[in-house]
Every structure is written in structure tokens, then in C-alpha cells.
Amino acid sequence: MSQPTAPSRDRAAAAPSHERERIGTQALAVSVRGLKRRYGSRVVIDSLDLDIQKGEFVALLGESGCGKTTLLRALAGLDQPDAGTIRAPERPSVVFQEPRLLPWAPLWENVALGHERTIGRDGAARALAEVGLAGREDDWPRNLSGGQAQRVALARALVPDPALLLLDEPFAALDALTRIKMHGLVKELVALHQPGVLIVTHDVDEALTLADRIIVMRAGRIAASFRPKDHAGTLRSILLEELGVQSH
């Protein structure tokens, strides 16, 4: 793991012990050092360090309450840590479990949201085509299946070509067949756009399918880290043991 870098400028106004720095054009998509977050007396993230390379797909596993979503929200700028340094893009993209589409806007406006001047209708149409929804620019969210709505959410997240893509259990509500199709799609899109990716999931098989690296979080810390390519055929049982589940 690389050594902590000296802080350059502080973009966080609230907590003086926490610094959020804009990352430059280095190979890293995000770098975290000494991150801490507590709610009252309960420590949720405890002195956590993490690097994700651009183009790297990282899956984050852990029991409920271990700090996974809190970490993702901190990386997204949606939660204020109590201490530590986050070096990340100014605006990482996030896909949540719910698509969070605007029901009163056509699909192309949902995709271009926040980037209307730079992306426009044509850019939104290209992004929709990438996720298999070509020709649906003027359709409405109410006409979409759950899988199609998540495709629009992915298109919206990737249209600005983010350096960091954060996925918060985006396929958990989908049926098994749709989830398999979405796994293939997201792998294609990540290969095309090359963001660094962090996916929070409870699904060991999903992590094995998608990730270049799988990390297990326990009690606010990274307890273990694995690369599937180094554990041919054995990693599933190892991960289940790390999560306190007996494999069969």
C-alpha cells in the first residue's frame, strides 16, 4: 500500500480533522487514509485506509452495520467523517439500490441531469444506447421495468465519464435473471469507461463475478483483501468463512 500523501488543500468546511482533497490525473481513482466516523459512542469506521486504481473494480463485503454504506457515503461526499483524508474526484458518480429517476422527465433528461449543457440530448442518447435502450430517449420512467430503470441510472452515472463510480447494492432488488444480465452490462461499461469502481454488496457470488479485488469489512476496518485470480475455485468458501457463514 502506498504511503500517505501530504495534504494539499482542504475542501471540507466542517471538521478540521477531516480533509477531502481533489485527486489529480494519477493512476488512483480514490485514496483514503486514517478515516474515522462515529455516531455517538459507536465507532462505525475506525482508522481505515483504502486505495482504488482507475479501471479497478473493487467489491466491499461485510455484515450489516460494519460500516460499508457509511464508507461509500463518505467517498461520495454525502457523509462527513470525523477524521482522516479522502483524495477523490470532485464529483464521483453514485448508483443506489433504487434508480431514483425523475418521473416527470423523459429518459434523456434523466440521463443528462446536471450535465445538460455539456451532454445534451445527443450525449444522453449515446449513453442510453450503451445500456441497451437505444431509441428510448423520449420514453418515461413509468414505462420501464426494474432492470431497465437501473440501466438508465447506470447511463446517468457514466455519462460524465467519472474517475470513480460508487455502486450501493444496485442490483439487490432485481430478479435473478435480470441481475445476471446487469452484471454482464456493468462489466462491459466499466471496461469501456475505465472508472475506479467500489460496489457495496452482501452477495458473495456477485462480488466474485464482478470484482478484480474483494475486501471484507469488519467492525469499521478492512479485515481482509483478496484477488479472485489468485484463488482459483477456493475464494467463495474463504469469503463465506470471513463473513461467519459455513460453506457447503
Side-chain angles (χ1 to χ4, degrees), residues 57-115:
F57 205 129
V58 178
L60 178 58
L61 293 170
E63 297 180 356
S64 295
C66 72
K68 301 186 303 297
T69 296
T70 300
L71 173 60
L72 183 141
R73 287 177 55 82
L75 296 181
L78 301 175
D79 187 75
Q80 181 72 43
D82 297 300
T85 300
I86 299 174
R87 300 185 66 239
E90 187 172 5
R91 293 187 65 182
S93 287
V94 188
V95 179
F96 298 96
Q97 184 172 338
E98 309 83 17
R100 302 191 180 190
L101 304 182
L102 304 178
W104 57 84
L107 300 190
W108 80 263
E109 290 184 8
N110 270 281
V111 170
L113 185 66
H115 305 279

Side-chain angles (χ1 to χ4, degrees), residues 99-175:
R100 302 191 180 190
L101 304 182
L102 304 178
W104 57 84
L107 300 190
W108 80 263
E109 290 184 8
N110 270 281
V111 170
L113 185 66
H115 305 279
E116 291 86 352
R117 291 188 177 183
T118 56
I119 301 301
R121 181 188 172 93
D122 290 345
R126 287 192 294 271
L128 285 167
E130 284 184 1
V131 299
L133 293 174
R136 302 285 295 272
E137 297 91 336
D138 294 315
D139 208 343
W140 300 91
R142 64 175 176 268
N143 297 328
L144 302 178
S145 67
Q148 289 172 334
Q150 279 297 59
R151 287 171 183 260
V152 177
L154 274 171
R156 180 176 58 194
L158 289 169
V159 76
D161 277 328
L164 178 63
L165 176 63
L166 303 170
L167 306 175
D168 189 8
E169 300 190 72
F171 314 126
L174 303 179
D175 64 82

